Amino acid sequence: MRMNRFALLFCFVSLLAGAQPVPDAGVPDPTHVVGAPPTPVAPVAPPEEEHGLPLPLPQGTKTSPAREEDARNETRNKRSERWRSEEEEDSRAEARNERAASRREEDARTEARNEQAADEREEEEEDARAAARTESRNERAADRRERERRREKEKCDEDYLDEEVEDLAILHPLELNVDGRALTPERVELHGLKRLTEDQVRAFIGSPSTEPGAALQTRDLQRMLRRLAHTGLFARVEPRLRLPEQGPVVLEVHLEENPVVTSVEVEGLQDLRRTEILEEVFRLPRRFPDEDEDEDEEFIVRVNGARGTLTVVSTPCPPQRPPREWLARMEREEYRPGLVLGGVSAALQRALRDLRGDGYMLASLSGTLTPKGQLTIIVDEGRLEGVDVVGVDGPVADRVREALDLKAGDVFLRSDARRAMERLESRLPFLQASSVDTDSDEAARRRDARIVEERAADGVRHYRTEEQKRGERRRREKVEFDLSWGELFESWRHGHDGEGITLEGRRLVVHVRTRRPDLDLDLLPIHTQVTGFAPGLAGSLRIWDSKDRLHTTLDAAAFIPLRWGGQRLPDDPEGTKRQRELNLLGGARVEVPAVGLAELGGQAYDFTDTLDRWRMSDIDSSIYSALINRPDRDYFRRKGVAAFATFRWSEDWLAGVEYRSDRYETLRSFTPPLSLFRRDSPPFPNAPVDEGRFQSVIARLEYASGSPRNAKVGSLFRTPETPLFHVDKDWGRSPFLHGFVTLEVGEGPAATGPDERFWKLLGDVTMVVPTGWETGLRLRLRGAGGDNLPEQKREALGGWSALRGFGFKEFKGDVSVLGTAEYRWHSFGVFADLGTVRGAGEWQDARLGVGGTFHFSDDVRVDVAWRTDEKATATPEARLFFVRTF
């Protein structure tokens, strides 16, 4: 801005100066300093003269015509010179511009030539590098091919013989020394061939060259002999050296081909099929070439638009297996004649090993082969001659044979042995399989045997099975051994098949002994809102009688309520102390199988009990009580004694009677709630009971289809609402029905004061109908009711497993009916609960709860439920359960 101001000021001064008149030459400069030298004044040309035009003279100036002409000439000359100077200057500038343009064009051409040369040099260098890389790749590929060729050549023997070849370096049976001179065969002759030709055999084994004068290496001859022995085509390979008086040393190889079987007959089959036997007898080894398999591979390639065929030739090794058309084989369940690979004995041995591996522990094979190639195979699938029992005698041994249910003359399988032992332990639970000598047990499972060949004078060959004699039992020593994954898998697959069973010839020997006392201990992490956290321990000791007369069981349990979280009953320290007392249960019972008495015994107890075990299991209730203060159970204190007798007149039916004398006491929930969540919520409401002494008699009838004889009966925590049978039935492939009915009649204090008689009838039936693996329908129908029922024995519906989706015991009365249907499809399922309650002399409206399940197993599952009445919401109730109660 400041510079602009100076520029404007300078222009203004210049204009003022230009407007002043030219000073006269005779007038002294007023600015001249006296005594200073005069300032020279430059002549000033008139303005018109600057453009070569005549200017008018000032007024008063006088000129002559000659002077005027000279002035005009001089002006014209100056103008001409100035024009010539300007033209020359323009010419020189134009020349300079032309020269500069020429130089620029030349520089551009030079730069283009340099760039082109640089590009050409880079292309040449890249081509050189590509050529070097290609040459290097070719060299490496050639080296790799050479190494692979050498490796393939070295592996020919290994692949062909399926054996180690290191012994070739030390095996030198073909050198002959005569007078200290080493002789090596120079010619090989094959003798004894019948079906095959010498050219076929030589081409197959890759024998050394037979050209005269060709050098034979000892190693090549040894390799040829070993290949002949391992082809499976020959029963005998006998090398002989012939040393003529004149001529080369000859190696004569005398060969005996394996028999040719032209036709096959199979006799004696009962369970097996003909093709099953023949497929194993004439089974070809793995990796055997197919009929249409081509050793060379051809590919269609296209290079620069030209189409051609590329043939990849296989390695120079001789084939590992003989051609299929030489061999006896099965194709599409049809027999093809030929040489028997490995011989008839090896083929029958292979089939026998497969039979016994499939469980035919007594199987044997025999047969005949005529000179014409007609093979007859006689199969004995292994029939049992009898059963011997070791460990028990007398009537118990007869019961063992009856429980095994193995008949003489039946084909005996390993699976029959497993099922027989399962039946034995189920029907006679006081017995168990006795361990036998390991060597004997292994021999019984494996049943080592070999096929023996005998040749008759008429050329007929006979084959029979010869059992391997068991060696004497040796003293056990500590040894180290390697267990392969295959052996481990076989052990896992068969498990303890046949444990306690050995075979003596064709007789089955069963080793049993009396079961040792069983001791079971279980931790019971019980948590309730009336006791807090009360961990417990339950134990059961069962003592078995070797004569199966009287089996005794002792049961006991104890719970210790812990004082955590400052829980108490407000304003009731005595009640708090009473609810923290030790919980004890104990009992004894006996089983008398001879009269069908499943249990006869009694119990004494003083503990915190509930009648809601049919709704939710102990573990699930404890978990949700400790987590969210929702146990979904009512508790009371029960102290008293009980006596009971239960008869099991068949495997599926129970009938029993029980007497009880109990004192009931109401329990209250502690404050504050001892739970991980919802600690600020009010205590879970525990329903009060009718207190006092009650006496009652309970009759029971129970059925469970397919219950094993050793199924546990009875429990330390006995209630009329739960069954006595402990049967684990998941989603199997057969229907299952389980139901029981109980009738309780008793008397006790009534709400009005004096004792009053009451009765209650309960029925609960569950049925499982499988439609597939882990798929099917589960149905339940439960009904209960009575008269003059104490408060703790009244019926109520609502809550988990008792009308899901509704609140815990939302509907109460003296009678209830509940129906449940659940369909499961693998891990997913849907259910519907329908129930109603009769109270105050009338039935309430039926309630429906629906939901879905996700199963991790048959017991572990997640249930999601909705109620469908006027209080229904979009938010469901959800729980994770670990035990199924129905």
Side-chain angles (χ1 to χ4, degrees):
M1 187 68 182
R2 183 178 299 175
M3 293 299 296
N4 293 336
R5 291 174 181 176
F6 279 116
L8 291 175
L9 181 60
F10 180 76
C11 293
F12 182 73
V13 172
S14 300
L15 291 175
L16 290 178
Q20 296 296 325
V22 180
D24 190 7
V27 179
D29 187 1
T31 63
H32 178 68
V33 180
V34 179
T39 301
V41 179
V44 180
E48 290 82 355
E49 194 172 338
E50 292 180 359
H51 302 282
L53 297 177
L55 299 177
L57 293 177
Q59 189 175 2
T61 303
K62 296 180 180 179
T63 58
S64 61
R67 172 173 281 182
E68 292 177 1
E69 183 65 24
D70 291 338
R72 285 194 295 270
N73 290 335
E74 184 178 359
T75 299
R76 284 194 295 269
N77 292 334
K78 289 181 180 180
R79 189 166 53 247
S80 299
E81 290 178 359
R82 189 162 55 249
W83 287 347
R84 284 194 296 270
S85 299
E86 291 176 355
E87 291 177 357
E88 291 176 358
E89 183 64 26
D90 294 339
S91 299
R92 285 193 298 270
E94 185 177 357
R96 285 195 302 271
N97 293 336
E98 291 179 355
R99 287 194 298 271
S102 299
R103 283 195 301 270
R104 286 194 296 271
E105 293 177 359
E106 184 64 26
D107 293 341
R109 287 193 295 270
T110 303
E111 185 177 359
R113 287 195 297 270
N114 294 336
E115 292 179 354
Q116 183 177 1
D119 293 341
E120 292 177 354
R121 286 194 299 272
E122 290 180 359
E123 291 178 357
E124 292 176 357
E125 293 175 356
E126 183 63 27
D127 293 341
R129 286 194 297 269
R133 287 195 298 268
T134 302
E135 183 176 0
S136 177
R137 284 197 298 268
N138 293 336
E139 291 177 357
R140 288 196 300 270
D143 295 340
R144 185 168 58 254
R145 287 193 297 271
E146 182 62 23
R147 288 194 300 271
E148 291 176 357
R149 188 187 64 79
R150 287 197 298 268
R151 282 197 299 268
E152 291 295 336
K153 188 66 177 178
E154 293 172 356
K155 288 177 60 179
C156 284
D157 293 332
E158 298 177 2
D159 294 341
Y160 189 87
L161 302 178
D162 293 331
E163 290 184 1
E164 298 293 337
V165 296
E166 283 76 6
D167 58 341
L168 291 177
I170 60 175
L171 178 62
H172 297 279
L174 301 179
E175 292 185 356
L176 180 64
N177 291 325
V178 177
D179 297 333
R181 182 169 61 92
L183 299 178
T184 303
E186 300 179 12
R187 195 171 65 190
V188 179
E189 296 179 357
L190 304 180
H191 298 272
L193 296 174
K194 295 180 180 179
R195 179 180 177 88
L196 304 175
T197 65
E198 183 172 349
D199 292 339
Q200 287 176 326
V201 175
R202 285 182 178 275
F204 171 62
I205 65 173
S207 68
S209 174
T210 58
E211 297 180 1
L216 297 180
Q217 300 295 327
T218 301
R219 187 179 183 88
D220 295 336
L221 296 176
Q222 293 168 341
R223 183 180 294 111
M224 179 198 70
L225 293 176
R226 294 194 63 185
R227 287 178 179 171
L228 284 172
H230 285 77
T231 57
L233 299 173
F234 306 105
R236 184 172 62 89
V237 178
E238 181 180 348
R240 301 177 185 176
L241 286 175
R242 187 176 74 241
L243 181 61
E245 296 181 357
Q246 294 182 352
V249 179
V250 179
L251 174 63
E252 295 181 353
V253 183
H254 294 263
L255 305 172
E256 179 183 349
E257 295 178 351
N258 281 323
V260 175
V261 175
T262 57
S263 62
V264 182
E265 293 293 334
V266 182
E267 300 176 356
L269 295 178
Q270 181 176 337
D271 294 342
L272 300 171
R273 295 184 297 113
R274 175 179 181 272
T275 54
E276 292 179 326
I277 298 297
L278 296 183
E279 288 285 356
E280 193 60 33
V281 171
F282 300 107
R283 177 172 55 86
L284 299 179
R286 295 180 180 178
R287 299 184 300 169
F288 206 92
D290 296 331
E291 291 183 355
D292 300 332
E293 184 177 353
D294 193 356
E295 296 182 356
D296 297 340
E297 298 182 3
E298 294 186 354
F299 302 91
I300 305 299
V301 297
R302 187 182 300 275
V303 179
N304 294 333
R307 185 173 180 275
T309 302
L310 174 66
T311 302
V312 180
V313 182
S314 60
T315 60
C317 296
Q320 299 181 16
R321 307 293 182 187
R324 294 174 65 92
E325 58 270 14
W326 294 2
L327 306 176
R329 63 200 183 278
M330 293 292 293
E331 292 180 357
R332 298 179 180 88
E333 298 187 354
E334 293 292 334
Y335 175 72
R336 306 296 182 190
L339 287 168
V340 180
L341 187 66
V344 176
S345 297
L348 295 178
Q349 182 76 45
R350 182 169 57 248
L352 178 62
R353 188 184 307 113
D354 182 72
L355 278 176
R356 296 197 172 183
D358 288 344
Y360 291 85
M361 302 172 67
L362 299 177
S364 63
L365 296 177
S366 60
T368 58
L369 177 64
T370 65
K372 295 183 178 181
Q374 298 172 347
L375 176 63
T376 301
I377 302 176
I378 303 173
V379 181
D380 183 356
E381 297 174 357
R383 290 170 174 79
L384 195 64
E385 294 181 354
V387 178
D388 298 328
V389 180
V390 177
V392 294
D393 53 10
V396 178
D398 295 336
R399 294 177 63 187
V400 170
R401 293 188 185 92
E402 182 182 356
L404 292 173
D405 195 21
L406 297 175
K407 303 295 189 301
D410 293 342
V411 175
F412 182 71
L413 297 173
R414 184 189 296 112
S415 58
D416 294 336
R418 182 184 68 251
R419 287 191 292 268
M421 295 306 296
E422 290 176 354
R423 286 194 298 270
L424 173 64
E425 295 185 356
S426 173
R427 298 177 183 179
L428 304 176
F430 67 98
L431 296 177
Q432 67 181 100
S434 176
S435 60
V436 296
D437 178 59
T438 305
D439 296 336
S440 301
D441 186 55
E442 178 65 17
R445 186 178 69 84
R446 196 175 58 245
R447 296 287 297 170
D448 293 335
R450 64 187 183 95
I451 301 296
V452 179
E453 179 184 272
E454 297 176 352
R455 301 190 185 186
D458 57 356
V460 177
R461 305 187 187 196
H462 298 273
Y463 302 92
R464 62 180 176 84
T465 300
E466 183 179 274
E467 300 289 343
Q468 297 295 301
K469 294 182 179 181
R470 188 183 310 164
E472 296 182 359
R473 182 177 180 181
R474 298 177 296 178
R475 185 179 62 184
R476 296 182 180 273
E477 299 178 354
K478 184 179 180 180
V479 296
E480 295 182 357
F481 63 94
D482 295 328
L483 181 63
S484 66
W485 285 108
E487 294 172 349
L488 185 62
F489 175 77
E490 283 296 317
S491 175
W492 171 83
R493 176 184 174 188
H494 296 295
H496 298 285
D497 289 356
E499 182 181 1
I501 288 180
T502 58
L503 289 169
E504 298 292 343
R506 290 181 175 269
R507 297 191 65 83
L508 182 70
V509 181
V510 181
H511 303 261
V512 295
R513 63 175 176 83
T514 304
R515 191 181 297 273
R516 297 186 178 91
D518 295 335
L519 177 61
D520 295 329
L521 293 176
D522 297 318
L523 289 174
L524 303 176
I526 298 301
H527 184 285
T528 71
Q529 294 302 323
V530 299
T531 61
F533 181 57
L537 182 67
S540 176
L541 176 63
R542 195 169 192 181
I543 303 172
W544 301 95
D545 179 16
S546 61
K547 301 298 184 180
D548 197 25
R549 295 166 297 190
L550 188 71
H551 308 294
T552 305
T553 302
L554 302 177
D555 298 316
F559 301 90
I560 305 175
L562 300 179
R563 303 189 178 188
W564 284 1
Q567 289 185 299
R568 68 188 186 282
L569 298 179
D571 303 327
D572 190 0
E574 291 298 326
T576 301
K577 182 179 179 180
R578 188 168 54 254
Q579 290 188 195
R580 293 190 183 279
E581 291 179 353
L582 184 66
N583 291 255
L584 295 174
L585 297 90
R589 47 200 168 99
V590 297
E591 179 183 359
V592 186
V595 295
L597 191 59
E599 55 176 3
L600 174 64
Q603 290 181 351
Y605 39 79
D606 182 5
F607 72 113
T608 301
D609 196 9
T610 180
L611 295 177
D612 294 329
R613 287 189 173 89
W614 68 275
R615 297 170 174 269
M616 186 180 294
S617 67
D618 292 336
I619 184 64
D620 290 327
S621 176
S622 298
I623 288 175
Y624 286 105
S625 176
L627 287 179
I628 60 174
N629 188 23
R630 290 296 182 270
D632 281 359
R633 277 186 178 184
D634 287 329
Y635 290 93
F636 48 81
R637 189 84 176 190
R638 185 163 71 94
K639 181 179 180 179
V641 295
F644 48 84
T646 305
F647 293 87
R648 187 177 183 180
W649 72 85
S650 70
E651 291 188 353
D652 298 338
W653 286 95
L654 284 178
V657 62
E658 181 177 350
Y659 168 77
R660 286 187 175 187
S661 177
D662 298 328
R663 178 175 293 277
Y664 290 88
E665 181 182 348
T666 297
L667 299 178
R668 296 164 56 193
S669 297
F670 282 145
T671 300
L674 180 61
S675 59
L676 185 61
F677 305 102
R678 296 184 178 179
R679 300 199 63 181
D680 297 334
S681 63
F684 186 80
N686 191 68
V689 301
D690 291 341
E691 298 182 331
R693 173 71 62 179
F694 289 83
Q695 297 182 8
S696 62
V697 176
I698 303 171
R700 175 187 298 269
L701 181 65
E702 188 168 345
Y703 173 82
S705 62
S707 298
R709 181 66 180 84
N710 59 350
K712 185 179 178 181
V713 176
S715 171
L716 186 61
F717 305 97
R718 308 168 68 94
T719 64
E721 286 78 11
T722 54
L724 294 181
F725 262 132
H726 294 267
V727 182
D728 294 330
K729 282 290 186 179
D730 54 6
W731 295 93
R733 293 187 178 275
S734 59
F736 171 66
L737 178 64
H738 186 193
F740 65 95
V741 177
T742 61
L743 174 62
E744 182 177 8
V745 180
E747 66 177 10
T752 58
D755 289 352
E756 191 175 52
R757 179 164 294 183
F758 68 90
W759 63 268
K760 183 177 182 179
L761 179 65
L762 182 146
D764 196 342
V765 180
T766 301
M767 182 171 62
V768 178
V769 183
T771 58
W773 184 253
E774 294 185 345
T775 302
L777 182 65
R778 185 185 292 266
L779 302 174
R780 181 188 193 182
L781 179 62
R782 182 186 185 276
D787 185 39
N788 294 329
L789 294 177
E791 188 64 32
Q792 60 267 28
K793 294 182 180 293
R794 295 189 67 199
E795 281 297 297
L797 292 181
W800 294 103
S801 299
L803 199 56
R804 287 166 285 189
F806 292 84
F808 174 67
K809 293 189 177 181
E810 185 174 344
F811 311 104
K812 294 184 178 182
D814 293 330
V815 182
S816 70
V817 177
L818 174 67
T820 297
E822 178 180 337
Y823 182 78
R824 177 182 175 183
W825 184 76
H826 299 290
S827 297
F828 299 94
V830 294
F831 64 84
D833 295 340
L834 182 64
T836 183
V837 172
R838 184 179 184 273
E842 61 181 9
W843 289 93
Q844 300 182 17
D845 294 336
R847 308 290 177 169
L848 175 65
V850 297
T853 63
F854 180 83
H855 294 263
F856 298 96
S857 66
D858 186 61
D859 290 331
V860 182
R861 69 196 191 281
V862 175
D863 285 2
V864 179
W866 289 267
R867 61 191 300 163
T868 60
D869 61 356
E870 65 278 0
K871 297 182 181 180
T873 62
T875 303
E877 295 284 338
R879 289 284 179 93
L880 170 65
F881 294 101
F882 295 92
V883 178
R884 179 181 287 277
T885 56
F886 75 95

